[in-house]
């Protein structure tokens, strides 16, 4: 049976089985009898609202006839955006992405609908319907004639943000696709876009790219900061600003540079950057939000001075570091990673730290903690915590705990396409393999085999 006859055929069959005439069915469904008659005869256009009422009356779930509706009522000619707008919203709600793709392909034959589709895409994005929004943004981007236009760049930015998640490979692909467009955004969006792009490279440990984009963010933030406060002093109208205080992006770029230097073992330059972002005496912003971020940067600087001393081999600061983080929930996860990394590097006994934070460690492993940090960064730190715990326990002959942490880390690294820690885990297992049980070996090899069947790591 042709899709174009399915709705009409089922409607006629329902009325026959229930001994309803057109008027009676119209009353039951809440539709004008004339409209029902036109649907039965094929002479009447059907709205999405009317289709939903017929679908419910026939006992089907919402969306049951959407594919048929597209074939019967939309495919014959270029559809009217007012008619299909509710269909797009309903399909997004029902996650019927194939229907959205079909409708959008029909609409984009008429370029005038680009504005309307962009508006709908923005709604989907704000509502968290990212997969549906990507379809619309990509279509608008393809149809955008001005290849250097701001809207094209904004579409690419939204696609980049919508694709962000725990999968490192997908994140990297999205970042690479977005890079050429970041500086085509308007000045207000640029700083947040640069921050988000930098955070992806931070989570992927791509230090050269992180360094590059942190520098770009610093340069652009410095310009906007000087311009904004020059205008303020001149009593001129203050331009629209990003969601965070302007000084934040300057300080955060220095924090990112510190991360790069730390990763490369250049602790002297790391300390220079820490002092720079920890000094907020120059900041003239006085809003409550500005005070909040000023305090955080000062706290991060204080914490990271402990970290650099630790990574330089000074275990004497562990006690003060632990005291510092006990009252700062957001810092505990990263601090534990730093402590265990230093303990493994310099053979420091931190059994008391494991005991002190036993409950927190268990909760971290079970679920992501709420934090001021970006989700990608939290996922990265959770994997790092598992690896450092595994390494510490295995080094100290606590093999049952060590191999448990190692298997958990390996599994999570594979699920998130984190190649760096996946490789580190396999190396650590081979190093301590002689101390593993037959059950652990079997679980390890089953996991490795599963990963090899499902994917290949590539970065």
């Amino acid at each position: 049976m042709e899709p174009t006859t399915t709705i009409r055929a089922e409607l006629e069959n329902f009325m026959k089985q229930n001994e309803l005439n057109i008027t009676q069915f119209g009353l039951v469904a809440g539709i004008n009898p004339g409209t029902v008659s036109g649907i039965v005869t094929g002479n009447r256009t059907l709205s999405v609202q009317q289709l939903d009422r017929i679908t419910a009356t026939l006992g089907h779930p919402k969306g049951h006839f959407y594919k048929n509706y597209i074939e019967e009522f939309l495919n014959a000619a270029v559809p009217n955006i007012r008619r299909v707008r509710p269909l797009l919203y309903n399909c997004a709600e029902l996650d019927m992405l194939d229907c959205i793709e079909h409708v959008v392909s029909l609409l984009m034959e008429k370029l005038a609908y680009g504005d309307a589709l962009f508006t709908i895409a923005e709604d989907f994005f704000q509502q968290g319907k990212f997969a549906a929004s990507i379809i619309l943004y990509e279509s608008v981007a393809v149809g955008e004639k001005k290849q250097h236009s701001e809207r094209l760049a904004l579409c690419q930015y939204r696609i980049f943000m919508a694709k962000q998640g725990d999968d490192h490979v997908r994140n990297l692909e999205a970042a690479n696709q977005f890079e050429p467009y970041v500086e085509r955004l308007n000045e207000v969006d640029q700083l947040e876009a640069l921050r988000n792009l930098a955070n992806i490279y931070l989570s992927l440990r791509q230090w050269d790219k992180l360094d590059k984009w942190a520098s770009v963010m610093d340069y652009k933030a410095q310009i906007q900061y000087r311009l904004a406060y020059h205008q303020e002093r001149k009593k001129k109208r203050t331009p629209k600003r990003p969601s965070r205080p302007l000084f934040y992006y300057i300080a955060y770029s220095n924090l990112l540079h510190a991360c790069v230097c730390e990763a490369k073992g250049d602790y002297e330059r790391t300390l220079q950057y820490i002092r720079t972002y920890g000094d907020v005496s120059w900041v003239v912003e006085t809003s409550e939000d500005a005070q909040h971020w000023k305090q955080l940067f000062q706290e991060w600087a204080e914490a990271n001075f402990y970290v650099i001393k630790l990574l330089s081999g000074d275990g004497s600061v562990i006690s003060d570091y632990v005291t510092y983080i006990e009252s700062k929930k957001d810092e505990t996860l990263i601090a534990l990673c730093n402590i265990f990394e230093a303990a493994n590097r310099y053979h420091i006994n931190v059994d008391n730290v494991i005991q002190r934070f036993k409950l927190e460690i268990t909760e971290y492993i079970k679920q992501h903690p709420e934090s001021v940090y970006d989700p990608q960064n939290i996922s990265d730190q959770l994997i790092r915590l598992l690896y450092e715990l595994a390494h510490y326990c295995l080094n100290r002959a606590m093999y049952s705990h060590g191999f448990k942490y190692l298997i958990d880390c390996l599994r999570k690294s594979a699920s998130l396409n984190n190649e760096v820690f996946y490789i580190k885990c396999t190396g650590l297992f081979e190093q301590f393999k002689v101390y593993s049980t037959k059950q652990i070996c079997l679980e390890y090899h089953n996991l490795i085999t599963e990963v090899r069947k499902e994917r290949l790591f590539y970065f």
Side-chain angles (χ1 to χ4, degrees):
M1 180 178 293
E2 290 292 326
T4 54
T5 63
T6 301
I7 300 173
R8 184 166 69 250
E10 287 212 28
L11 175 57
E12 290 176 329
N13 187 51
F14 180 86
M15 290 192 296
K16 183 177 180 180
Q17 287 182 346
N18 291 275
E19 299 180 349
L20 297 173
N21 59 32
I22 287 175
T23 301
Q24 291 169 329
F25 180 86
L27 289 173
V28 173
I31 301 174
N32 185 284
T35 300
V36 178
S37 177
I39 295 169
V40 172
T41 60
N43 297 321
R44 185 67 179 262
T45 301
L46 181 65
S47 72
V48 175
Q49 184 182 39
Q50 292 165 345
L51 175 63
D52 288 341
R53 289 179 179 177
I54 291 173
T55 302
T57 304
L58 269 56
H60 296 303
K62 187 175 181 179
H64 178 79
F65 288 119
Y66 282 171
K67 290 183 180 180
N68 304 98
Y69 179 74
I70 294 169
E71 291 291 336
E72 180 176 356
F73 294 95
L74 304 183
N75 216 22
V78 177
N80 185 296
I81 188 66
R82 289 179 297 175
R83 183 172 295 278
V84 302
R85 183 182 280 108
L87 177 63
L88 289 171
Y89 279 94
N90 289 353
C91 287
E93 192 68 40
L94 298 170
D95 204 30
M96 298 179 69
L97 302 181
D98 54 341
C99 286
I100 294 177
E101 289 178 345
H102 196 165
V103 173
V104 169
S105 68
L106 296 174
L107 287 172
M108 288 310 295
E109 292 178 9
K110 193 169 182 179
L111 295 178
Y113 289 153
D115 290 341
L117 287 179
F118 180 77
T119 300
I120 296 171
E122 291 282 83
D123 283 347
F124 289 169
F125 186 86
Q126 295 301 323
Q127 294 166 13
K129 299 180 177 67
F130 297 130
S133 73
I134 288 173
I135 296 171
L136 271 64
Y137 284 128
E138 288 180 340
S139 296
V140 174
V142 169
E144 184 60 61
K145 289 184 177 180
K146 298 177 182 177
Q147 290 300 304
H148 291 276
S149 72
E150 183 181 314
R151 189 169 74 178
L152 173 62
L154 187 55
C155 284
Q156 295 295 343
Y157 179 33
R158 294 286 193 257
I159 292 169
F160 163 67
M161 292 299 295
K163 286 183 176 180
Q164 284 190 36
D166 286 334
D167 189 318
H168 281 209
V169 169
R170 181 176 168 87
N171 288 345
L172 180 62
E173 290 173 345
N176 287 336
Q177 180 181 334
F178 174 55
E179 269 195 13
Y181 300 94
V182 63
E183 295 190 73
R184 301 183 196 174
L185 292 166
N186 66 49
E187 292 180 349
V188 174
D189 289 325
Q190 269 190 32
L191 293 180
E192 266 299 288
L194 287 165
R195 183 185 71 85
N196 286 311
L197 187 63
N199 282 337
I200 289 295
Y201 290 129
L202 174 62
S203 69
L204 296 173
R205 307 173 73 82
Q206 297 221 346
W207 307 119
D208 289 341
K209 284 207 168 189
L210 175 59
D211 204 39
K212 169 190 172 181
W213 291 110
S215 295
V216 174
M217 180 168 64
D218 180 46
Y219 173 73
K220 291 183 176 293
Q222 294 275 7
I223 292 174
Q224 289 197 41
Y225 194 88
R226 288 194 296 269
L227 178 62
Y229 291 100
H230 171 75
Q231 291 176 327
E232 193 170 274
R233 286 194 300 270
K234 297 291 185 179
K235 307 295 184 181
K236 293 183 178 180
R237 181 181 177 184
T238 303
K240 184 180 177 183
R241 295 178 186 172
S243 59
R244 304 186 187 209
L246 282 172
F247 90 88
Y248 166 93
Y249 301 95
I250 300 171
Y252 192 59
S253 67
N254 283 287
L255 186 150
L256 294 174
H257 284 308
C259 291
V260 173
C261 292
E262 179 189 326
K264 294 182 177 181
D266 188 346
Y267 297 140
E268 184 176 342
R269 288 190 67 203
T270 304
L271 287 171
Q272 291 175 3
Y273 281 118
I274 290 174
R275 292 188 187 96
T276 301
Y277 72 73
D279 177 11
V280 291
S281 60
W282 56 273
V283 176
V284 298
E285 292 158 294
T286 58
S287 67
E288 183 177 339
D289 193 31
Q291 295 300 326
H292 166 74
W293 287 113
K294 284 170 67 176
Q295 182 178 344
L296 276 181
F297 278 112
Q298 289 174 320
E299 290 178 0
W300 289 337
E302 182 180 353
N304 285 325
F305 274 119
Y306 288 124
V307 173
I308 297 306
K309 287 184 178 181
L310 259 179
L311 296 179
S312 300
D314 185 357
S316 66
V317 302
I318 290 179
S319 178
D320 290 339
Y321 192 21
V322 167
T323 301
Y324 170 81
I325 64 172
E326 279 186 319
S327 62
K328 294 176 173 58
K329 183 179 179 181
D330 285 330
E331 302 301 316
T332 306
L333 173 60
I334 294 175
L336 290 174
C337 291
N338 294 330
I339 290 171
F340 292 127
E341 180 180 342
N344 290 326
R345 186 181 299 181
Y346 299 107
H347 307 289
I348 304 171
N349 187 325
V350 291
D351 290 355
N352 62 323
V353 177
I354 293 179
Q355 191 61 36
R356 195 165 182 175
F357 292 96
K358 185 176 181 179
L359 291 178
E360 287 86 349
I361 291 171
T362 301
E363 287 302 310
Y364 290 150
I365 294 172
K366 285 183 179 179
Q367 60 186 3
H368 283 204
E370 292 185 4
S371 174
V372 297
Y373 294 102
D374 290 279
Q376 292 87 0
N377 186 268
I378 294 300
S379 296
D380 188 52
Q381 295 300 335
L382 283 171
I383 292 175
R384 183 182 167 212
L385 175 64
L386 286 168
Y387 175 80
E388 298 298 347
L389 276 169
H391 198 177
Y392 180 80
C393 290
L394 291 173
N395 273 337
R396 301 189 68 79
M398 296 184 283
Y399 298 122
S400 61
H401 292 292
F403 283 114
K404 180 183 182 303
Y405 290 134
L406 179 58
I407 294 296
D408 285 345
C409 185
L410 188 65
R411 183 177 290 110
K412 194 167 185 64
S413 297
S415 69
L416 301 183
N417 270 338
N418 190 319
E419 183 187 35
V420 172
F421 278 97
Y422 180 84
I423 293 173
K424 291 178 76 169
C425 284
T426 56
L428 189 61
F429 183 85
E430 293 302 322
Q431 181 182 346
F432 289 92
K433 182 179 179 179
V434 66
Y435 302 107
S436 65
T437 64
K438 288 184 178 180
Q439 180 61 36
I440 289 294
C441 279
L442 179 62
E443 191 172 355
Y444 172 81
H445 287 295
N446 286 343
L447 182 55
I448 293 294
T449 301
E450 181 183 339
V451 171
R452 286 174 177 168
K453 285 181 179 179
E454 291 184 358
R455 75 190 76 196
L456 291 174
F457 284 110
Y458 59 99
F459 278 87

